[in-house]
Amino acid sequence: MHKALLRPAIVSRVSDLIGYTPLFELCRTENGSRLLLKLEQFNPTGTAKIRMARQMVIDAEERGELRPGGRIIESTSGNTGLGLAVIAAERGYTFTAVVDHHACADKLRGMKALGAELVYVADDGTEELATAAREECAEELARQNDNALFTEQHNNPANAVGYHPVGRELDAALDGRITLLIGAVGTGGGLCGTGRELRRTVPDVRIVGVEPKGSIAFGGPAHDYYQSGTGTPEGAPIGALVDYELLDEGVKVGDIAAFATARVVARATGLLIGGSAGGVVHEALTRMAALPPDTTVVALVNDGGEKYMDTVFNDDWMHARDLMDPTTEREIDEMLTKLRGN
């Protein structure tokens, strides 16, 4: 890796471990094209979102919106909350996470272990994504508490700024040789923040956003989906950080294909990736065979699969929701095997 991007051997804060995440070559075609996974699961808390969690807090401190001993409040499906819980602990804040039961149980347990207060907006047993209700609740809690900040990740410019280092890391590691960048679109901060910074030095890079089928950022129809931490459900506003002018394409991948890909990648390589990351990797894999020679594709893997043992990697959970499809898994396995030359 580029020497300028090497982390110190000894650190004194967990947040000092953010970044410098590795690239994993998932496959290489006969014509020299390759698919690289940017493994953001190697950040603390196992997710990319700690990058923007730190930046949102730093930005609020610099603007005087968060004072010593204050409270941070955020609406979260889990990964942003995990990151904010770490940053709050380091900097002496309390953290309230407004959540629903759509979030994976391990993410909720993780936030509690890190000292977060969880406020639910939906009854236990209700798995529907309640983004709009969470946002309203977080905003109201911030109004009710003195020295409290609703970081409002969906509309906070610092969210995107927090991902600028990802663009610089990719440029340094690959010497600018990146043809295609593919990533999930939820708040828009991760892909658009990375892509905007990368375009400064790699102006021709093509950027493709992926959302779940049922999400509305790239049009309808709207319906429920199980991929967590990504997409925009019906009734929720599209985040201000979704930069349509930056994106060359916006595509949709359904839950069955996304989860099947995550399961196949685990069995084929020993690498656990999250459910929405499965959607990103699926979209990348389907493009590989038709790419020109010597194309480099980078897929942003925003978190690992360890948090999804009760869901994506649980056969009973998958069967109960009609998400298990052996035919889809077999087709993806055959595609990946062919691309890997196995």
Side-chain angles (χ1 to χ4, degrees):
M1 182 173 285
H2 195 279
K3 291 183 179 179
L5 294 177
L6 290 177
R7 149 187 321 123
I10 298 174
V11 301
S12 58
R13 297 182 302 182
V14 169
S15 62
D16 292 334
L17 298 170
I18 294 172
Y20 320 101
T21 54
L23 286 162
F24 175 78
E25 185 175 284
L26 181 61
C27 61
R28 183 186 289 262
T29 65
E30 292 180 355
N31 69 3
S33 293
R34 56 183 178 167
L35 171 56
L36 306 178
L37 309 185
K38 178 67 166 164
L39 298 183
E40 288 290 280
Q41 65 214 70
F42 285 91
N43 284 303
T45 70
T47 169
K49 291 191 175 182
I50 194 171
R51 292 184 186 259
M52 62 92 152
R54 176 176 62 179
Q55 188 61 44
M56 290 193 300
V57 172
I58 290 173
D59 181 72
E61 290 173 338
E62 290 176 347
R63 289 185 285 108
E65 294 185 357
L66 189 59
R67 303 185 301 279
R71 178 177 296 274
I72 300 166
I73 301 170
E74 183 55 86
S75 159
T76 175
S77 292
N79 280 336
T80 300
L82 288 167
L84 284 170
V86 169
I87 304 305
E90 288 184 341
R91 293 172 176 262
Y93 302 117
T94 53
F95 172 53
T96 298
V98 182
V99 300
D100 53 39
H101 293 282
H102 181 86
C104 291
D106 277 346
K107 295 179 184 179
L108 300 173
R109 289 191 285 260
M111 284 188 282
K112 288 188 69 174
L114 292 167
E117 173 196 25
L118 303 188
V119 174
Y120 288 87
V121 298
D123 295 331
D124 193 5
T126 302
E127 292 186 339
E128 290 184 5
L129 186 58
T131 303
R134 291 197 326 245
E135 298 282 317
E136 292 174 6
C137 179
E139 188 173 7
E140 180 61 27
L141 286 173
R143 279 198 299 264
Q144 293 174 356
N145 290 270
D146 183 51
N147 194 17
L149 172 74
F150 174 25
T151 42
E152 199 176 358
Q153 60 173 313
H154 285 84
N155 298 303
N156 191 330
N159 175 342
V161 174
Y163 292 104
H164 286 180
V166 184
R168 294 193 289 269
E169 290 172 28
L170 290 173
D171 182 35
L174 299 171
D175 293 323
R177 295 191 298 272
I178 307 172
T179 313
L180 180 61
L181 178 70
I182 302 180
V185 174
T187 69
L191 179 60
C192 295
T194 299
R196 183 159 297 284
E197 183 66 13
L198 186 58
R199 278 254 173 95
R200 292 179 59 249
T201 51
V202 190
D204 295 331
V205 65
R206 188 169 180 82
I207 302 173
V208 176
V210 180
E211 69 172 351
K213 288 182 178 178
S215 175
I216 62 170
F218 302 136
H223 56 75
D224 291 343
Y225 55 87
Y226 287 99
Q227 294 173 65
S228 65
T230 187
T232 306
E234 187 176 27
I238 297 171
L241 304 175
V242 180
D243 187 346
Y244 291 102
E245 292 185 0
L246 180 75
L247 300 176
D248 294 291
E249 291 181 68
V251 301
K252 297 174 180 286
V253 176
D255 290 336
I256 289 174
F259 295 167
T261 302
R263 292 163 64 94
V264 168
V265 168
R267 293 195 299 264
T269 69
L271 178 69
L272 287 167
I273 64 174
S276 62
V280 173
V281 174
H282 183 270
E283 180 62 28
L285 285 171
T286 60
R287 293 169 179 255
M288 292 303 296
L291 291 174
D294 301 319
T295 296
T296 296
V297 180
V298 174
L300 299 175
V301 173
N302 284 341
D303 71 347
E306 292 82 359
K307 304 184 186 85
Y308 304 94
M309 292 297 109
D310 292 334
T311 55
V312 175
F313 296 100
N314 182 320
D315 289 0
D316 292 337
W317 185 91
M318 292 281 287
H319 277 299
R321 291 154 184 81
D322 294 322
L323 296 171
M324 185 76 86
D325 188 336
T327 299
T328 300
E329 288 195 23
R330 183 171 59 253
E331 290 171 351
I332 294 168
D333 186 42
E334 291 172 354
M335 176 170 54
L336 181 58
T337 298
K338 183 177 180 180
L339 289 169
R340 286 172 63 85
N342 295 342

